[in-house]
Structures are given as structure tokens and as C-alpha cells.
Amino acid sequence: MSGSVDLNDIKRRMEGAVNAFKSDIASLRTGRASANVLDPITVEAYGSRVPLNQVANITVPEPRMLGVSIWDKSMVRAVESAIRESHLGLNPIVDGQNLRIPLPELNEERRKSLVKVAHDYAEKAKVAARHVRRDGMEGLKKAEKDGVIGQDDSRSQSEKVQKMTDDTISEVDRLLADKEKEIMQV
């Protein structure tokens, strides 16, 4: 079995797809403030784009308010416009080197659009898992064709790869359902 497909690598890559999905949906704003909401935002700083948390401190001073303390005064405008231009629908209030970001109540339309974004993220994660499966299956076919593993080994490993894929997609669906419930909760 030395030349066969590395099932641990396949498992690791599928977990990576799930973790990326978890990170994506954590950034979707629900009724409660969370510093993760600003995770997807990048800022033009010192000649390159960097994540917001590399130029500022993000806090949650109140349940419906985010605070952003920008370390470098020259970055305030860039951070403010990056937040305004994000797809999050936030309007920061500038206060010196700090931004206060009130989180508006989510209306029904906004909730539905967030659920749609969550579904898009889920689909992206499922596609990533299917790509990992495809790579694994191709590797198994090649190993079998090259005589590295027998037909029985190939079949049994293919079933394991398929089971990992099914489990990964089920986990994505479960996480999506939880997030959807959280978003729609008024």
C-alpha cells in the first residue's frame, strides 16, 4: 500500500474545506456583534492589501456595536473606506483613530440575502471537497493501473474517499442549517 493514495492527506484537505467554510460563515453578521464580522475586510496599507486585524484592534464594546482602534493615524481613511465598501452594509463613525460601527437591525430582506451568501459559501466548500475526492479517485485509478495497488485495495480506498466526501458534505450542510437558523432568528 506504500504507493497508494494518502487518505490522511485527503482527510486533511477536506477538513480544510470545512474550516474555510466555518471561517466564511463566522464573518456573516447575525443579530449579535462579533469581531469576526470584519475578518473578510482587507485594507490598502504600505503598498499591499492586508487583513484589517493587521492594522487595527477590533473590539465588541456593546452587543450591537463594533470598535476598531487603528494603530497608525494615517490609515484611518483607508480603514473607513474598506469597511464602507465591503458587502457588509456597515457605516463606521470616525472618532480620531477609532471607528465606532453600529450594527443595524437586520431586516427580513437583509437576512435572506445573508442566507443566500451562506449558501454560496456552502457550495464553495462542497465543490472543494468534491475536487479533493476527484484527486483522490484519480490517484487510486493511477495507482491501480500502475500495479501499485490491487483492484480490491483500490475499491476499498475509493469507498473510504467517498465516505469522507459524504461526511464532509453532511458537516457543511449541518453547519449551514445552524447558521441559517441563527441568521433568521429575530
Side-chain angles (χ1 to χ4, degrees):
M1 285 244 270
S2 61
S4 68
V5 171
D6 181 355
L7 294 177
N8 287 333
D9 183 55
I10 290 173
K11 183 175 173 59
R12 183 188 55 73
R13 289 173 58 201
M14 287 200 184
E15 285 169 355
V18 170
N19 290 336
F21 175 62
K22 283 179 181 172
S23 163
D24 285 344
I25 62 173
S27 72
L28 289 179
R29 190 165 63 76
T30 58
R32 295 182 300 282
S34 161
N36 295 357
V37 168
L38 302 177
D39 283 354
I41 297 178
T42 59
V43 181
E44 189 64 41
Y46 319 112
S48 64
R49 291 206 74 79
V50 297
L52 177 60
N53 63 12
Q54 289 184 11
V55 297
N57 220 6
I58 301 164
T59 57
V60 183
E62 299 169 32
R64 307 193 57 73
M65 177 79 65
L66 291 173
V68 178
S69 305
I70 302 153
W71 301 322
D72 179 347
K73 198 164 50 186
S74 69
M75 296 297 304
V76 173
R77 289 281 160 243
V79 170
E80 179 195 13
S81 60
I83 292 170
R84 281 190 200 285
E85 291 162 13
S86 71
H87 66 286
L88 300 171
L90 300 173
N91 290 310
I93 300 161
V94 179
D95 180 10
Q97 273 181 244
N98 299 313
L99 299 180
R100 288 192 328 273
I101 306 170
L103 297 182
E105 272 299 333
L106 291 179
N107 60 22
E108 188 69 15
E109 187 181 322
R110 181 70 182 139
R111 287 177 195 279
K112 285 181 175 152
S113 81
L114 286 173
V115 166
K116 227 167 105 173
V117 172
H119 278 269
D120 292 344
Y121 288 156
E123 195 48 45
K124 195 171 77 175
K126 290 176 184 181
V127 166
R130 290 184 193 115
H131 283 309
V132 174
R133 177 189 62 195
R134 185 198 59 218
D135 292 349
M137 295 300 197
E138 286 173 357
L140 286 169
K141 280 189 194 125
K142 183 178 179 338
E144 184 183 341
K145 194 177 124 236
D146 295 349
V148 176
I149 59 173
Q151 197 173 7
D152 290 346
D153 274 346
S154 175
R155 188 173 304 120
S156 110
Q157 287 194 22
S158 291
E159 287 168 5
K160 286 179 185 164
V161 169
Q162 184 59 51
K163 175 148 178 31
M164 280 185 230
T165 306
D166 295 343
D167 291 349
T168 299
I169 288 175
S170 295
E171 185 174 358
V172 166
D173 286 337
R174 183 185 57 74
L175 291 165
L176 175 63
D178 290 349
K179 189 64 177 188
E180 201 170 328
K181 232 182 280 167
E182 188 184 325
I183 290 170
M184 294 311 287
Q185 189 177 47
V186 180

